[in-house]
Amino acid sequence: MDLTSYVPTVLMNSLKNASELITFAYDVPFARAVVFGVHIGGHLFVEGLLLVVIIFLLSQKSYKPPKRPLTTKEIDELCDEWVPDAAGPHTIINGKEVVNFASANYLGLMGHEKLLESCTSSLEKYGVGSCGPRQFYGTIDVHLDCETRIAEFLGTPDSILYSYGLSTMFSAIPAFCKKGDIVIVDEGVHWGIQNGLYLSRSTIVYFKHNNMESLRSTLEKVTQDNKRAKKLRRYIVVEAVYQEKYKFRVLLDESNSFGVLGKSGRGLTEHYHVPIDKIDIITAAMGHALASEGGFCTGSHRVIDHQRLSSSGYVFSASLPPYLASAAIAAIDVIQENPQLITKLRDNSKTLSAGLSGIPGLELASDFMSPLVLKEHSVFVAPSKRSMVDKCNLPVGIRMYVSAAHTDSDLQKACESLKIVAASIFTDQN
Amino acid sequence: MITVPYLTALTTYFSYGLLFAFGQLRDFFRRFIDWWKAGNLQGYAPICLGLEDFYIRRLYLRIQDCFGRPISSPPDAWFDVVERISYDNNKTLKRTTKTSRCLNLGSYNYLGFAAADEYCTPRVIECLKKYSASTCSTRVEGGTTALHCELEDVVANFVRKPAALVTGMGYVTNSAILPVLIAKGGLIISDSLNHNSIVNGARGSGATIRVFQHNTPSHLEKVLRELIADGQPRTHRPWKKIIVVVEGIYSMEGELCELPEIVSICKKYKAYVYLDEAHSIGAIGKTGRGVCELLGVDTADVDVMMGTFTKSFGSCGGYIAGSKELIQYLKYTCPAHIYATSISPPSAEQILSAIKVILGEDGSNRGAQKLAQIRENSNYFRSELQKMGFEVLGDNDSPVMPIMLYNPAKIPAFSRECLKQKVAVVTVAFPATPLLLARARICISAAHSREDMVKALTVISNVGDLVGIKYFPAESKMPQVEEARAKVE
């Protein structure tokens, strides 16, 4: 035989054999089965099986439970069950004595004898409630005295008293900002301000929390976009101070800085040495440094008088109980007489932040001068909570309120316990 | 329904027109004079534009001395009103040191707890020493004391609901609870004469708001049927939930709400009922439990009950009562609970003691006496006023009595004349009431004695004759021929 014809014949033979095998496989009876009226060829059957396997594999979920120290719900339950007995720098919780870092009692005025004295005499004279709105015999002379005292202390022409801290901002804003006005707001403002802005129906523009650059760029953009800018009133609502060189009016909320910042406790304007008449409207809640309740708003006469008739939280609500107004007056007197309370508070905050910054895993998110110290993560006495109607998205952490009444040993104890707790939580997570 | 006589309506419109015209004239001259002396606004838009405070500047300021009168004693049955003088034609008022002792017909002091009370005040002072004047923190951070928990239990028992939540101020309770209960996609149907706090809360929630005619259950049914059939505006999807908001006693009308019919309608159409008992809790009902007790409505049928402690309990603050799940949910989400300072401990103690007195748990029957007294007082006063020929609104048993004045000039006249004769009344005009329907509102208290009321009646009758507000014929005279009356809605 020829060699040249041998190889092809062998190849041809093997190919023929292979095809015969394949046709045999195709012609196998089950491959020709008819299922549901569809001719199933052999390849279709194999492909169908493959598809089923793929789907089965995909449907297997990879399940990994997320690890979190405690859910928010559990923290809430812990908080709600926990009932302290009396307030002040040391409190009794469920029978155990603890150091109280959860009340915003910045200057330690809670329980101060002078306040208690004035409250007691007020209670004996006027009873508890004032039984009427300001316009209908609810104005007691103590209210008027309180208003003048606050205006004197801050150096502004006039002030107006509200019966609740939260309602101060959300009534003052709709009284001035109407539909069509532009308001530029810090992202991190609290719910009271957000609600007030929503009720006022003005255009709201947010800028990044405490970021001067962001503020400047927003101001530029807004001024450029608006041709009728002169007729519209523009406001900036912040919880800090910004220079106004863009012809905006400034609304400042000083609930946490009143009584704390500045050499004699007059707040942010004193701290940054900005003359107070540059700020048009200042509001504050008295529930923090002044150890009382309610809120106030100061500004020029025109601003204040307008609010007396058009601010809903003032007109349609009963006035502040007189004993709280006299407590506020006594508190201001105490602050004026003892400016060393403020320096003590500042020293305490410094010590605490120094002690806490050494703890691994926790981050300090605020200035060492401010008495509010926010941290990230963790489980403790006072986690900060956000209501679901709040649009703020700053990180949730725990809050510790430093007070002038805390002694050094209190602060030490706090740092030590936080170290221990933080260590235990973070090892669990790892 | 208030029916205004034609002549009165005409003269009232005319008076307002005249005042408006004069105001505009003055504004025109003011603008002229201001243009001379340049303003110092430097490119800022003025903080109050021209027409916004027109009413304040030209109408309200003229009679400013009738409002906001300061007092220098507790708001009991008799109190000291501080006299004020003005050197610039009522634009600003200065306090003087003189006071005059007047009969108090204006404060919300229904059960007489306003001044220092023999049972409550010692307890309040003790509590002040123990807990200090304020807790300085929110409920979830450090402001929950044993006192607050006790208060919530006691309030829930008193109102006959499973659980309750207490906040520091009544106005904020409404404005902060409604946005949490309902959001966009829900429907709020509220009575046309609801209080400003409810209106603010409803607006802040983002839900659709519809109004039904005051106290008319048939109109409520009609509105409900239409809206449920229509669905949400534009998308016509079904509503997520429907809340009907009504008040126990309407503070400007003195009327009780028709609760049984409204509750049955809401049950039929599966809407939730939100009852605001600011004025009625503690003041009406056999044991002071409010409008549900008086009208015989089961509290389990009312889904959310809200009320304030300012009126009958002589304190401050508000509460919400409902099922346990509702209150638990509110505790996690309500901003008034999470962000705002908790109710001041002495106020909480006052509420506790007041409730104890009302229920008779302090060992005396002062509570029962007070409740009987206020009912008697209200009914007597109202019937006497009606006999004299005044147009008095409101239902029997309600301690709030508005007397219609209508004409804007009669408002200051009535108020000032009464003050001269040592009776302090409250007069209300626009914007708290519709423009035509100005009134004087009387709030009777359990602390008023029979002599006080007789004196008040004589004074009001004299002043009424002087000012000319006896729109109905007095019963002692012969009945006059009926004049044509215009229906005002």
Side-chain angles (χ1 to χ4, degrees), chain A residues 84-85 164 249 293 323 387 390, chain B residues 45 131 144 333 339 341-342 344:
Chain A
D85 268 343
Y164 205 50
R249 289 184 196 272
E293 280 209 21
Y323 74 92
S387 164
D390 197 338
Chain B
Y131 288 106
T144 306
T333 52
Y339 295 127
T341 339
S342 52
S344 155

Side-chain angles (χ1 to χ4, degrees), chain B residues 203-434:
Chain B
R203 275 204 213 136
S205 68
T208 319
I209 309 176
R210 289 281 182 271
V211 160
F212 72 93
Q213 260 177 34
H214 175 61
N215 238 358
T216 322
S218 53
H219 191 244
L220 170 65
E221 182 160 11
K222 185 158 153 252
V223 166
L224 261 174
R225 287 173 70 89
E226 259 177 45
L227 286 168
I228 295 181
D230 255 349
Q232 293 186 30
R234 292 169 72 223
T235 57
H236 295 291
R237 290 205 206 127
W239 299 103
K240 295 218 179 99
K241 60 178 117 160
I242 305 185
I243 298 189
V244 175
V245 184
V246 287
E247 286 188 33
I249 291 186
Y250 290 94
S251 54
M252 285 301 158
E253 274 73 36
E255 283 174 351
L256 294 165
C257 93
E258 305 205 12
L259 200 57
E261 290 91 359
I262 293 182
V263 164
S264 62
I265 292 178
C266 289
K267 265 203 193 141
K268 189 163 144 201
Y269 292 97
K270 293 178 263 198
Y272 296 115
V273 181
Y274 183 105
L275 179 64
D276 178 341
E277 289 212 79
H279 284 265
S280 50
I281 188 78
I284 56 180
K286 214 158 67 158
T287 52
R289 284 185 159 93
V291 74
C292 287
E293 189 180 12
L294 187 70
L295 297 177
V297 173
D298 188 8
T299 50
D301 287 337
V302 178
D303 301 287
V304 186
M305 294 175 67
M306 175 264 170
T308 61
F309 300 117
T310 339
K311 281 97 188 177
S312 313
F313 302 96
S315 176
C316 68
Y319 70 88
I320 293 262
S323 64
K324 280 205 161 58
E325 294 85 28
L326 175 73
I327 301 296
Q328 194 74 343
Y329 170 72
L330 286 176
K331 282 198 175 148
Y332 292 152
T333 52
C334 171
H337 195 247
I338 300 180
Y339 295 127
T341 339
S342 52
I343 186 174
S344 155
S347 309
E349 180 60 42
Q350 164 81 9
I351 303 168
L352 278 171
S353 326
I355 294 185
K356 287 208 181 90
V357 172
I358 294 178
L359 293 176
E361 285 169 18
D362 62 330
S364 72
N365 66 343
R366 274 171 67 220
Q369 266 179 2
K370 282 181 195 269
L371 287 164
Q373 184 82 11
I374 188 174
R375 208 176 320 134
E376 228 184 86
N377 284 0
S378 335
N379 289 337
Y380 170 72
F381 209 79
R382 181 176 263 113
S383 54
E384 287 298 312
L385 280 177
Q386 276 171 338
K387 276 195 216 149
M388 285 190 222
F390 289 103
E391 184 163 357
V392 183
L393 309 176
D395 296 333
N396 270 333
D397 273 357
S398 137
V400 178
M401 274 162 245
I403 304 178
M404 295 309 295
L405 295 172
Y406 300 119
N407 209 300
K410 300 189 182 176
I411 304 170
F414 189 78
S415 177
R416 289 171 189 157
E417 282 302 314
C418 282
L419 193 63
K420 270 196 217 146
Q421 306 197 24
K422 304 286 189 227
V423 169
V425 292
V426 158
T427 46
V428 197
F430 186 80
T433 62

